[in-house]
Every structure is written in C-alpha cells, then in structure tokens.
Amino acid sequence: NAGVTQTPKFRILKIGQSMTLQCTQDMNHNYMYWYRQDPGMGLKLIYYSVGAGITDKGEVPNGYNVSRSTTEDFPLRLELAAPSQTSVYFCASSFRDANEKLFFGSGTQLSVL
Amino acid sequence: AQSVTQPDIHITVSEGASLELRCNYSYGATPYLFWYVQSPGQGLQLLLKYFSGDTLVQGIKGFEAEFKRSQSSFNLRKPSVHWSDAAEYFCAVGPIQGAQKLVFGQGTRLTINP
C-alpha cells in the first residue's frame, strides 16, 4: 500500500520561480489537505478538498493554488515563490472528514532563496 | 475559535521512564481531540483520538491519553518509553460539524536518553 505519496522530497527555488508539489493517494479518500509546517508553529492548513472538483481555502492560502481533477491527485501550485514560503509541506487525506484519521505523506522540504 | 497549547517545547526522558506530554485546548463544546506523532523525516501518524465515552483513551504503541473537561486538558502518557519513541508529538483539536480543519499545537519534541 503506497498511501499518500508526495513528490519531490526536497526542492530549492529562487525568488519568483513557480513550481507544483504533487500529491497522490491510492485509498479512494474523498478529503485531501495541504498543510505547511514551520518550526515551533505546528501545522497550518493551506487548502483542502472534499472531492473531485471541490476545493476551499484553509488558514494560510495566500500565494498558493490547488486543483482537484481526480479523486487521487491534489497538486499544490506555488506562483512567484517568496522566502516566506520556505517550509515543509505535507499532503494528507481522509475518507470522510478531518475528524477521521488523517493519513500523511512524508513531506516536501522547500527552500526559497 | 478553538486553540491548542502544548506548554513543553522539548522534553528529555530516560529510556524506561514514564512520560507525560501536556496538551490544553480552548473550545466551546466537547471537541474531537487527537495526538499525532512525527518521526524524523516522516509524515504524521495518528496515535489516538477522543470524542466521547471513556475519558481514558488507548492508542497505538502503548500510548494513552486522558480527557479532563474541568482542566481542558488531553495529556498523553506512556508508562515506559523506548528509544524508538523519540519523535515530535502534536496535539490537535477538531470541530464537530463540517470538520475540515484540525488546529494543531506547536508540538513537543521528545528526546530519549539511553
């Protein structure tokens, strides 16, 4: 069982560049989430999706975009990268909602220099 | 709005010693409460969760947590820690309806001395 798979694991971007963080899950989960983790700050929700074609903003959506064209995939797009987006990004999924068990990917460490 | 506080940023215990990690929450009603663990270089894994019923909840890896409404606390315990328990531990609270967002605490990093 692959679970939640994120790519890439590490990336360094220059200020102003763009990139897409990939996330795919093979558990047929309806709900998917993107979190960022900053040292000493816990996890903050960026965007979430309750099913294919449906997305919504979380706590910290500025500078990011998402799409959900299939149940399996939930990519996160960074446009015009800024140093403030240096963080570790986690994708997660759950079958019903966030009060069910969340399954997390292993994360993407992103540095914007 | 709900919030979660983990007062201890870093805790060091000896292998075989008992462990208690503190978590305090703020929420108007009885929330869903969670403990997640993050091993180095890994994503988070659910240890246990509470919503209703018995206030002492058993989880995986020998962990348990006790919900105390009067103290707004949900502390995580383990009677005897193992070196493999070294990790970061996150407490989280979720709303009851339309639950899309968990609010995570800042995390407690656990170091185990041999």
Side-chain angles (χ1 to χ4, degrees):
Chain A
N1 270 343
V4 179
T5 302
Q6 290 183 240
T7 57
K9 291 189 181 300
F10 303 95
R11 184 72 184 268
I12 297 174
L13 285 181
K14 294 182 179 179
I15 295 172
Q17 287 185 320
S18 300
M19 76 163 294
T20 298
L21 280 66
Q22 301 292 344
C23 175
T24 186
Q25 52 92 8
D26 62 357
M27 297 173 283
N28 201 32
H29 284 170
N30 295 313
Y31 287 67
M32 296 188 74
Y33 315 83
W34 275 106
Y35 285 90
R36 59 177 287 171
Q37 182 183 29
D38 300 307
M41 300 293 291
L43 279 76
K44 302 290 186 185
L45 182 65
I46 305 171
Y47 271 95
Y48 66 93
S49 168
V50 303
I54 306 170
T55 63
D56 207 347
K57 297 177 181 179
E59 298 173 89
V60 290
N62 292 343
Y64 307 95
N65 279 299
V66 293
S67 59
R68 184 98 180 268
S69 57
T70 67
T71 299
E72 296 78 18
D73 300 308
F74 189 42
L76 177 72
R77 178 82 176 162
L78 278 71
E79 305 282 2
L80 299 174
S84 61
Q85 293 178 305
T86 294
S87 188
V88 181
Y89 292 84
F90 288 100
C91 179
S93 72
S94 62
F95 179 67
R96 192 163 60 190
D97 60 30
N99 284 336
E100 296 291 321
K101 176 181 179 180
L102 293 185
F103 291 80
F104 283 83
S106 58
T108 295
Q109 187 169 327
L110 175 67
S111 296
V112 182
L113 305 175
Chain B
Q2 62 266 43
S3 65
V4 178
T5 301
Q6 294 179 246
D8 304 305
I9 296 173
H10 184 205
I11 284 181
T12 300
V13 299
S14 298
E15 190 167 15
S18 64
L19 171 70
E20 182 169 26
L21 301 182
R22 296 182 291 163
C23 172
N24 294 99
Y25 69 91
S26 173
Y27 190 71
T30 301
Y32 283 85
L33 293 162
F34 306 82
W35 276 99
Y36 280 85
V37 60
Q38 183 181 27
S39 298
Q42 302 296 315
L44 281 70
Q45 179 184 21
L46 180 67
L47 284 176
L48 48 81
K49 83 172 192 181
Y50 171 81
F51 174 58
S52 64
D54 192 343
T55 57
L56 186 62
V57 181
Q58 302 298 320
I60 63 171
K61 304 186 179 188
F63 285 92
E64 66 178 26
E66 186 171 13
F67 171 64
K68 293 185 176 180
R69 184 190 303 276
S70 61
Q71 299 177 18
S72 297
S73 69
F74 189 57
N75 294 349
L76 182 71
R77 301 194 295 247
K78 187 170 185 178
S80 176
V81 298
H82 185 262
W83 63 266
S84 60
D85 293 324
E88 188 145 19
Y89 292 79
F90 292 92
C91 183
V93 61
I96 295 173
Q97 294 180 339
Q100 316 312 342
K101 187 185 83 167
L102 291 185
V103 176
F104 285 86
Q106 303 93 320
T108 297
R109 184 160 61 94
L110 176 64
T111 298
I112 308 294
N113 280 337

